[in-house]
PDB file of all heavy atoms in Angstrom:
ATOM      1  N   SER A 156     -12.888  15.573  33.843  1.00 85.00           N
ATOM      2  CA  SER A 156     -13.630  15.414  35.027  1.00 85.00           C
ATOM      3  C   SER A 156     -14.269  14.020  35.046  1.00 85.00           C
ATOM      4  O   SER A 156     -14.875  13.626  34.021  1.00 85.00           O
ATOM      5  CB  SER A 156     -14.543  16.511  35.246  1.00 85.00           C
ATOM      6  OG  SER A 156     -15.458  16.218  36.292  1.00 85.00           O
ATOM      7  N   LYS A 157     -14.283  13.459  36.126  1.00 88.00           N
ATOM      8  CA  LYS A 157     -15.043  12.074  36.241  1.00 88.00           C
ATOM      9  C   LYS A 157     -16.601  12.305  36.175  1.00 88.00           C
ATOM     10  O   LYS A 157     -17.243  11.420  35.691  1.00 88.00           O
ATOM     11  CB  LYS A 157     -14.712  11.430  37.575  1.00 88.00           C
ATOM     12  CG  LYS A 157     -15.394  10.130  37.849  1.00 88.00           C
ATOM     13  CD  LYS A 157     -14.961   9.424  39.092  1.00 88.00           C
ATOM     14  CE  LYS A 157     -15.653   8.019  39.219  1.00 88.00           C
ATOM     15  NZ  LYS A 157     -15.332   7.516  40.578  1.00 88.00           N
ATOM     16  N   TYR A 158     -16.991  13.578  36.494  1.00 89.00           N
ATOM     17  CA  TYR A 158     -18.458  13.695  36.602  1.00 89.00           C
ATOM     18  C   TYR A 158     -18.972  14.711  35.496  1.00 89.00           C
ATOM     19  O   TYR A 158     -20.118  15.151  35.676  1.00 89.00           O
ATOM     20  CB  TYR A 158     -18.803  14.263  37.922  1.00 89.00           C
ATOM     21  CG  TYR A 158     -18.349  13.322  39.062  1.00 89.00           C
ATOM     22  CD1 TYR A 158     -17.188  13.743  39.831  1.00 89.00           C
ATOM     23  CD2 TYR A 158     -18.849  12.089  39.289  1.00 89.00           C
ATOM     24  CE1 TYR A 158     -16.690  12.892  40.952  1.00 89.00           C
ATOM     25  CE2 TYR A 158     -18.312  11.123  40.316  1.00 89.00           C
ATOM     26  CZ  TYR A 158     -17.381  11.666  41.132  1.00 89.00           C
ATOM     27  OH  TYR A 158     -16.799  10.806  42.109  1.00 89.00           O
ATOM     28  N   GLY A 159     -18.117  15.099  34.591  1.00 89.00           N
ATOM     29  CA  GLY A 159     -18.507  15.996  33.570  1.00 89.00           C
ATOM     30  C   GLY A 159     -18.432  17.415  33.988  1.00 89.00           C
ATOM     31  O   GLY A 159     -19.121  18.281  33.323  1.00 89.00           O
ATOM     32  N   LEU A 160     -17.780  17.778  35.051  1.00 92.00           N
ATOM     33  CA  LEU A 160     -17.649  19.079  35.495  1.00 92.00           C
ATOM     34  C   LEU A 160     -16.621  19.864  34.448  1.00 92.00           C
ATOM     35  O   LEU A 160     -15.560  19.443  34.219  1.00 92.00           O
ATOM     36  CB  LEU A 160     -17.067  19.211  36.905  1.00 92.00           C
ATOM     37  CG  LEU A 160     -17.986  18.660  37.968  1.00 92.00           C
ATOM     38  CD1 LEU A 160     -17.196  18.681  39.354  1.00 92.00           C
ATOM     39  CD2 LEU A 160     -19.324  19.379  37.980  1.00 92.00           C
ATOM     40  N   LEU A 161     -17.118  20.946  33.960  1.00 91.00           N
ATOM     41  CA  LEU A 161     -16.272  21.705  32.987  1.00 91.00           C
ATOM     42  C   LEU A 161     -15.523  22.982  33.608  1.00 91.00           C
ATOM     43  O   LEU A 161     -14.356  23.145  33.349  1.00 91.00           O
ATOM     44  CB  LEU A 161     -17.124  22.223  31.784  1.00 91.00           C
ATOM     45  CG  LEU A 161     -17.855  21.042  31.145  1.00 91.00           C
ATOM     46  CD1 LEU A 161     -18.724  21.604  29.947  1.00 91.00           C
ATOM     47  CD2 LEU A 161     -16.860  20.098  30.496  1.00 91.00           C
ATOM     48  N   SER A 162     -16.279  23.683  34.406  1.00 93.00           N
ATOM     49  CA  SER A 162     -15.684  24.825  35.061  1.00 93.00           C
ATOM     50  C   SER A 162     -16.440  25.215  36.279  1.00 93.00           C
ATOM     51  O   SER A 162     -17.626  25.048  36.374  1.00 93.00           O
ATOM     52  CB  SER A 162     -15.424  26.123  34.118  1.00 93.00           C
ATOM     53  OG  SER A 162     -16.809  26.615  33.954  1.00 93.00           O
ATOM     54  N   ALA A 163     -15.640  25.742  37.239  1.00 94.00           N
ATOM     55  CA  ALA A 163     -16.328  26.203  38.479  1.00 94.00           C
ATOM     56  C   ALA A 163     -15.434  27.378  39.045  1.00 94.00           C
ATOM     57  O   ALA A 163     -14.280  27.262  39.392  1.00 94.00           O
ATOM     58  CB  ALA A 163     -16.438  25.098  39.500  1.00 94.00           C
ATOM     59  N   ARG A 164     -16.169  28.571  39.275  1.00 94.00           N
ATOM     60  CA  ARG A 164     -15.354  29.773  39.777  1.00 94.00           C
ATOM     61  C   ARG A 164     -16.327  30.280  40.924  1.00 94.00           C
ATOM     62  O   ARG A 164     -17.497  30.492  40.763  1.00 94.00           O
ATOM     63  CB  ARG A 164     -15.093  30.757  38.720  1.00 94.00           C
ATOM     64  CG  ARG A 164     -14.235  30.183  37.544  1.00 94.00           C
ATOM     65  CD  ARG A 164     -13.730  31.301  36.628  1.00 94.00           C
ATOM     66  NE  ARG A 164     -12.810  32.042  37.218  1.00 94.00           N
ATOM     67  CZ  ARG A 164     -11.427  31.831  37.269  1.00 94.00           C
ATOM     68  NH1 ARG A 164     -10.956  30.651  36.648  1.00 94.00           N
ATOM     69  NH2 ARG A 164     -10.618  32.603  37.830  1.00 94.00           N
ATOM     70  N   TYR A 165     -15.636  30.617  42.036  1.00 94.00           N
ATOM     71  CA  TYR A 165     -16.212  31.151  43.086  1.00 94.00           C
ATOM     72  C   TYR A 165     -15.612  32.547  43.604  1.00 94.00           C
ATOM     73  O   TYR A 165     -14.283  32.586  43.629  1.00 94.00           O
ATOM     74  CB  TYR A 165     -16.237  30.232  44.361  1.00 94.00           C
ATOM     75  CG  TYR A 165     -16.737  30.890  45.674  1.00 94.00           C
ATOM     76  CD1 TYR A 165     -18.045  31.308  45.809  1.00 94.00           C
ATOM     77  CD2 TYR A 165     -15.784  30.965  46.707  1.00 94.00           C
ATOM     78  CE1 TYR A 165     -18.510  31.829  47.000  1.00 94.00           C
ATOM     79  CE2 TYR A 165     -16.182  31.574  47.934  1.00 94.00           C
ATOM     80  CZ  TYR A 165     -17.562  32.079  48.083  1.00 94.00           C
ATOM     81  OH  TYR A 165     -17.949  32.536  49.186  1.00 94.00           O
ATOM     82  N   GLY A 166     -16.419  33.556  43.836  1.00 92.00           N
ATOM     83  CA  GLY A 166     -15.883  34.798  44.151  1.00 92.00           C
ATOM     84  C   GLY A 166     -16.910  35.909  44.101  1.00 92.00           C
ATOM     85  O   GLY A 166     -18.170  35.662  44.033  1.00 92.00           O
ATOM     86  N   ALA A 167     -16.354  37.166  44.121  1.00 89.00           N
ATOM     87  CA  ALA A 167     -17.173  38.311  44.158  1.00 89.00           C
ATOM     88  C   ALA A 167     -16.501  39.536  43.554  1.00 89.00           C
ATOM     89  O   ALA A 167     -15.226  39.702  43.848  1.00 89.00           O
ATOM     90  CB  ALA A 167     -17.731  38.658  45.621  1.00 89.00           C
ATOM     91  N   LYS A 168     -17.089  40.381  42.854  1.00 83.00           N
ATOM     92  CA  LYS A 168     -16.489  41.651  42.317  1.00 83.00           C
ATOM     93  C   LYS A 168     -15.092  41.414  41.649  1.00 83.00           C
ATOM     94  O   LYS A 168     -14.095  42.163  41.828  1.00 83.00           O
ATOM     95  CB  LYS A 168     -16.309  42.618  43.471  1.00 83.00           C
ATOM     96  CG  LYS A 168     -17.541  43.196  44.028  1.00 83.00           C
ATOM     97  CD  LYS A 168     -17.337  44.335  44.980  1.00 83.00           C
ATOM     98  CE  LYS A 168     -18.713  44.860  45.507  1.00 83.00           C
ATOM     99  NZ  LYS A 168     -19.506  45.632  44.529  1.00 83.00           N
ATOM    100  N   GLY A 169     -15.093  40.456  40.740  1.00 86.00           N
ATOM    101  CA  GLY A 169     -13.872  40.141  40.137  1.00 86.00           C
ATOM    102  C   GLY A 169     -12.849  39.319  40.825  1.00 86.00           C
ATOM    103  O   GLY A 169     -11.716  38.955  40.226  1.00 86.00           O
ATOM    104  N   ILE A 170     -13.109  39.033  42.072  1.00 91.00           N
ATOM    105  CA  ILE A 170     -12.138  38.360  42.843  1.00 91.00           C
ATOM    106  C   ILE A 170     -12.618  36.866  42.905  1.00 91.00           C
ATOM    107  O   ILE A 170     -13.466  36.518  43.748  1.00 91.00           O
ATOM    108  CB  ILE A 170     -11.910  38.799  44.230  1.00 91.00           C
ATOM    109  CG1 ILE A 170     -11.647  40.344  44.262  1.00 91.00           C
ATOM    110  CG2 ILE A 170     -10.920  38.097  45.020  1.00 91.00           C
ATOM    111  CD1 ILE A 170     -11.663  41.035  45.640  1.00 91.00           C
ATOM    112  N   GLN A 171     -12.093  36.109  41.864  1.00 92.00           N
ATOM    113  CA  GLN A 171     -12.665  34.737  41.740  1.00 92.00           C
ATOM    114  C   GLN A 171     -11.463  33.759  41.715  1.00 92.00           C
ATOM    115  O   GLN A 171     -10.419  33.988  41.247  1.00 92.00           O
ATOM    116  CB  GLN A 171     -13.411  34.639  40.362  1.00 92.00           C
ATOM    117  CG  GLN A 171     -14.754  35.478  40.397  1.00 92.00           C
ATOM    118  CD  GLN A 171     -15.516  35.244  39.172  1.00 92.00           C
ATOM    119  OE1 GLN A 171     -14.927  34.926  38.111  1.00 92.00           O
ATOM    120  NE2 GLN A 171     -16.919  35.521  39.259  1.00 92.00           N
ATOM    121  N   ALA A 172     -11.891  32.525  42.193  1.00 93.00           N
ATOM    122  CA  ALA A 172     -10.814  31.501  42.249  1.00 93.00           C
ATOM    123  C   ALA A 172     -11.463  30.167  41.502  1.00 93.00           C
ATOM    124  O   ALA A 172     -12.638  29.967  41.551  1.00 93.00           O
ATOM    125  CB  ALA A 172     -10.516  31.070  43.694  1.00 93.00           C
ATOM    126  N   ASP A 173     -10.536  29.459  40.922  1.00 93.00           N
ATOM    127  CA  ASP A 173     -10.947  28.193  40.302  1.00 93.00           C
ATOM    128  C   ASP A 173     -11.120  27.069  41.403  1.00 93.00           C
ATOM    129  O   ASP A 173     -10.225  26.732  41.945  1.00 93.00           O
ATOM    130  CB  ASP A 173      -9.861  27.801  39.175  1.00 93.00           C
ATOM    131  CG  ASP A 173     -10.238  26.614  38.446  1.00 93.00           C
ATOM    132  OD1 ASP A 173     -11.313  25.910  38.751  1.00 93.00           O
ATOM    133  OD2 ASP A 173      -9.598  26.268  37.418  1.00 93.00           O
ATOM    134  N   VAL A 174     -12.431  26.653  41.657  1.00 93.00           N
ATOM    135  CA  VAL A 174     -12.673  25.646  42.561  1.00 93.00           C
ATOM    136  C   VAL A 174     -13.148  24.307  42.003  1.00 93.00           C
ATOM    137  O   VAL A 174     -13.724  23.579  42.630  1.00 93.00           O
ATOM    138  CB  VAL A 174     -13.709  26.239  43.628  1.00 93.00           C
ATOM    139  CG1 VAL A 174     -13.220  27.393  44.337  1.00 93.00           C
ATOM    140  CG2 VAL A 174     -14.982  26.545  42.827  1.00 93.00           C
TER     141      VAL A 174
END
Side-chain angles (χ1 to χ4, degrees):
S156 169
K157 181 180 178 181
Y158 307 106
L160 299 176
L161 300 178
S162 69
R164 301 189 74 82
Y165 170 64
K168 292 185 178 293
I170 306 172
Q171 295 182 334
D173 185 351
V174 294

